[in-house]
Amino acid sequence: MKNWIPKAVSYLEKSLGKIPSELNEIDWKASLSPKNDKLCKHITAFSNLPGGGFLVFGVDDKTAAILGITKPDADIIVERLASLCRDGVDPLVSIDHSIETFRGEELLFVHIKESAVKPVHIKSQTIEESYIRSGGTTRKASRQEIGALMLNSKTPTWEELHSSKLLNEVEIITLLEYDKILDLLKKPIPTNIPEIIKWLEDEKMIVDIDGKGYYISNFGAISAAKDLNKFDGLSRKALRLIKYEGKNKSAGSKEYPGTKGYAIGFEGLIQFVKGLLPGSEVIKHALREETSVYPEIALRELIANILIHQDFTIRGTGPMIEIFEDRIEFTNPGKLLPSKKIDRLIRTTPESRNEILAAAFRRYNICEERGSGFEKAVTSIELFGLPPLRFEETDNSFKVTMYSPRKFADMSNDERIEACYQHSIIQYYGNGGFNNTSLRKRFGMHDKQAAQISKLIKEAIDAGKIKLKDPESESKKFTLYVPYWA
C-alpha cells in the first residue's frame, strides 16, 4: 500500500460523515469533468495546498453515494489528469494514483502532490491565475495569498532540474552507470529493474512522472552518465583536460575531452592525469620507484573542487585542467560566492552552490569531509616541497594553480610570503601556531638558515599576513605566529 493511502481514506471517511461535506484536502466526484480549465484549477489549488490534496472518483457529487469505478474508466481519468499536470499548469505538477476498495466498492484515489515551487498557476497565464482551496472549494487566490505562496516556495536548484526527455525504465538504465555508483557506496546491485529504478529515485537521479515515465535530473546525468554528450546542454560541462609541451600555451598541446559523469569517471580521471604528469625516481626498500612530483591527495581535492563548486548556470563552458611543464591549473566556471574571500578559502565554513553534488561526492568517498579539501591539499604540497597554491578569480571563473617542486631560493618573495601564510593556517588549526623551526621544515631548510626564515617571518608580518600569537611574550625561542585573522 502506498504511504499516502491511509491519509486519503481518512479524509474521505471524514468527508462522507453524517452530513457529507468536501474538505480542503479532498474532493470527490462520480466521474471526470469534460472541462479542462476547471480541472486545471483544481490541480493548481491542490498543488498549492500544504501536503497536497486528493481527488476521489466513484462517489456521486450530489448524494455522496458510493458508486464505484471500472478499471478502464480509471485509466482514462489518470491519463487525462497526468496530461493536464504536464501541459495545463506551470510549473509541472506530480500526481500518484491507486484503486482502493472503500465500503465494498472500487474507488480511484488520485494524490496531487504539493509543489515545492509556488504558486502553481494556469499555464501560459500570469501567476495571477493561481488557485487555492478554501472552505472545501477551489477559488482564485488573492494577491496577498499569492504573495504568501511565494514566500513558501522553494526554487529548484540546477541539480534538481531535468536533463532529459521523458524516458522509460530501459532507457534510464541504458544512459546511467548506476552500478558504478552502487560500487562507490559499497552497496549490492539490486536484482531487478524496479528495485534499480526505486534506488535511482531515492538517490535523486531520476524523477517519476505519474507512472508515465521518468526524467533524469541534472544531478543524475552529471554524476552517472555513460556519455554526457547524450544530454542536451551537458556536453560542454564535461571536464576538459589539456597537456601543453612547455610552460605556456604557445607550445604544442593535446586535449583529452571527457564524456563520463563526474562520479563514475573520477577514479579513471585521477589515474589518467597521474600518467600525464612528470615523475621522479626514489629509493624505496632498496628498489628504484617512479613517483609523481605532485601529491595525489592534492590532485583529488583540487579536481573535486572544480567539479563541485562550478557555476552550472554559465553556458558554453565547463571545468578544465591544464597541465604545463612546471604547473597544473584547475579552472571552473563561476566566481567565488559573495561570502567567500580569496585569502580565507583554507579551512573556512563550507558553502557550495551545488550542495546535492557536494554531499554526493562525500558519500561516494570521492573527496574529504566538508571544508577540509584545501587544508589537505596545502598540507600535502608542504610535504612534497611545492610552492604555495595560487588562488585567482577572473571575471567569470576561479582558478587554482599547483606548481612543481622549487627550492626556497628559486621562489619569488611573494611566493615565500604566501607559503608562510598558508603554513600559518595549517599550523594554527593543528598546533595553535607555527615557529621558525616548523617553517624551516616546510621549506626543507637547514638549522643554519634560521636567519633567512626569521627575515621571511618579519616580511610576512609587515605584509599583514601573519602576527605574533602572544605580543606580550618576551621569549624568542618559543615565539609562535598565527594568521592575521586569528
Side-chain angles (χ1 to χ4, degrees):
M1 178 183 290
K2 297 179 178 180
N3 58 10
W4 54 266
I5 296 294
K7 181 187 290 186
V9 171
S10 173
Y11 281 134
L12 185 59
E13 288 278 13
K14 184 177 179 180
S15 180
L16 298 176
K18 291 183 179 180
I19 303 177
S21 61
E22 291 181 337
L23 309 175
N24 282 343
E25 296 81 6
I26 198 163
D27 194 358
W28 30 264
K29 302 176 181 298
S31 60
L32 197 62
S33 168
K35 299 178 181 179
N36 283 348
D37 59 339
K38 184 177 180 180
L39 291 172
C40 286
K41 291 175 183 179
H42 282 310
I43 291 169
T44 66
F46 281 123
S47 59
N48 284 326
L49 184 70
F54 306 93
L55 289 172
V56 181
F57 296 92
V59 181
D60 188 270
D61 305 44
K62 297 179 180 178
T63 65
I66 307 300
L67 305 175
I69 195 167
T70 65
K71 175 78 165 54
D73 287 343
D75 289 343
I76 293 172
I77 291 172
V78 171
E79 178 73 30
R80 191 156 153 229
L81 285 175
S83 177
L84 292 173
C85 285
R86 291 193 299 270
D87 305 323
V89 300
D90 189 30
L92 177 150
V93 170
S94 181
I95 65 173
D96 196 4
H97 71 278
S98 181
I99 296 177
E100 300 291 329
T101 301
F102 182 84
R103 297 182 184 176
E105 297 288 348
E106 299 292 300
L107 300 181
L108 171 64
F109 288 79
V110 178
H111 180 202
I112 300 175
K113 300 177 183 179
E114 179 186 3
S115 175
V117 184
K118 299 183 184 72
V120 178
H121 60 280
I122 305 299
K123 197 163 189 175
S124 301
Q125 302 290 326
T126 68
I127 62 171
E128 299 288 336
E129 284 299 310
S130 301
Y131 291 81
I132 62 171
R133 295 286 290 177
S134 177
T137 62
T138 292
R139 67 167 174 81
K140 193 172 182 178
S142 68
R143 288 196 171 187
Q144 290 79 8
E145 289 164 335
I146 289 172
L149 289 171
M150 294 175 71
L151 289 174
N152 291 301
S153 175
K154 174 185 178 293
T155 303
T157 64
W158 180 89
E159 300 133 298
E160 295 172 311
L161 299 176
H162 303 156
S163 66
S164 72
K165 63 181 182 180
L166 204 61
L167 304 170
N168 60 37
E169 293 178 344
V170 174
E171 290 171 320
I172 291 290
I173 62 176
T174 300
L175 289 169
L176 300 180
E177 289 198 56
Y178 61 89
D179 53 328
K180 291 191 176 179
I181 299 295
L182 286 162
D183 186 52
L184 290 171
L185 292 168
K186 296 180 172 54
K187 290 184 177 181
I189 297 175
T191 56
N192 56 61
I193 290 179
E195 288 182 1
I196 294 170
I197 294 298
K198 178 64 169 62
W199 175 79
L200 287 170
E201 279 189 79
D202 294 341
E203 196 67 13
K204 297 182 180 179
M205 291 191 173
I206 63 173
V207 181
D208 180 14
I209 302 299
D210 317 326
K212 299 299 179 183
Y214 306 87
Y215 287 117
I216 295 177
S217 67
N218 278 335
F219 165 66
I222 208 69
S223 298
K226 292 180 181 178
D227 185 354
L228 286 169
N229 293 315
K230 301 288 186 183
F231 297 86
D232 292 340
L234 292 186
S235 60
R236 295 298 299 271
K237 297 303 177 185
L239 185 139
R240 292 178 62 200
L241 173 60
I242 305 173
K243 187 176 189 300
Y244 298 95
E245 297 300 324
K247 295 182 179 181
N248 55 58
K249 295 183 181 182
S250 63
S253 65
K254 186 172 182 180
E255 182 167 351
Y256 305 89
T259 58
K260 288 186 176 292
Y262 297 165
I264 64 170
F266 191 82
E267 192 59 38
L269 172 65
I270 293 295
Q271 300 310 316
F272 188 78
V273 169
K274 286 171 63 179
L276 296 177
L277 298 177
S280 61
E281 284 190 340
V282 297
I283 304 297
K284 190 174 182 181
H285 305 303
L287 298 173
R288 289 186 179 275
E289 289 187 5
E290 186 78 11
T291 183
S292 172
V293 298
Y294 297 101
E296 181 174 331
I297 189 169
L299 285 173
R300 288 180 175 276
E301 293 298 329
L302 296 178
I303 292 174
N305 181 75
I306 63 172
L307 298 177
I308 291 172
H309 298 298
Q310 65 180 297
D311 186 346
F312 284 104
T313 65
I314 298 176
R315 299 177 63 85
T317 183
M320 182 165 58
I321 302 172
E322 296 174 284
I323 301 174
F324 296 86
E325 185 181 293
D326 62 341
R327 68 192 186 279
I328 310 176
E329 296 180 357
F330 306 86
T331 307
N332 63 264
K335 301 179 71 171
L336 290 174
L337 292 170
S339 60
K340 296 291 185 182
K341 292 183 178 180
I342 203 161
D343 66 343
R344 293 298 313 276
L345 295 176
I346 304 169
R347 191 63 181 268
T348 56
T349 302
E351 184 179 1
S352 174
R353 52 168 63 93
N354 307 303
E355 190 51 49
I356 295 175
L357 184 62
F361 265 46
R362 290 190 290 273
R363 287 192 297 112
Y364 301 160
N365 295 310
I366 289 174
C367 59
E368 297 293 331
E369 64 269 19
R370 294 171 65 92
S372 68
F374 283 140
E375 181 182 7
K376 290 182 179 296
V378 171
T379 300
S380 65
I381 69 169
E382 287 193 351
L383 291 173
F384 272 58
L386 276 58
L389 290 178
R390 182 180 179 186
F391 303 108
E392 297 175 82
E393 193 172 33
T394 66
D395 289 340
N396 219 15
S397 67
F398 178 71
K399 180 193 295 184
V400 180
T401 303
M402 179 167 61
Y403 294 92
S404 58
R406 236 185 297 146
K407 295 180 180 178
F408 180 85
D410 297 325
M411 292 184 196
S412 69
N413 203 51
D414 286 345
E415 285 179 320
R416 294 171 186 169
I417 291 174
E418 181 62 24
C420 180
Y421 172 61
Q422 292 182 13
H423 180 71
S424 75
I425 299 172
I426 301 302
Q427 292 297 311
Y428 174 68
Y429 286 110
N431 302 309
F434 80 94
N435 56 21
N436 189 297
T437 302
S438 71
L439 191 56
R440 283 204 315 275
K441 184 178 179 181
R442 184 262 181 263
F443 286 113
M445 298 172 70
H446 193 271
D447 292 354
K448 295 179 179 180
Q449 296 172 294
Q452 287 180 264
I453 296 300
S454 294
K455 181 174 180 292
L456 173 60
I457 291 173
K458 182 180 184 306
E459 290 173 342
I461 292 174
D462 292 342
K465 289 286 191 176
I466 63 172
K467 64 181 182 181
L468 283 164
K469 183 176 184 179
D470 182 8
E472 305 299 322
S473 174
E474 297 181 359
S475 171
K476 293 291 184 182
K477 185 176 181 180
F478 299 104
T479 299
L480 290 178
Y481 304 90
V482 294
Y484 73 88
W485 42 259

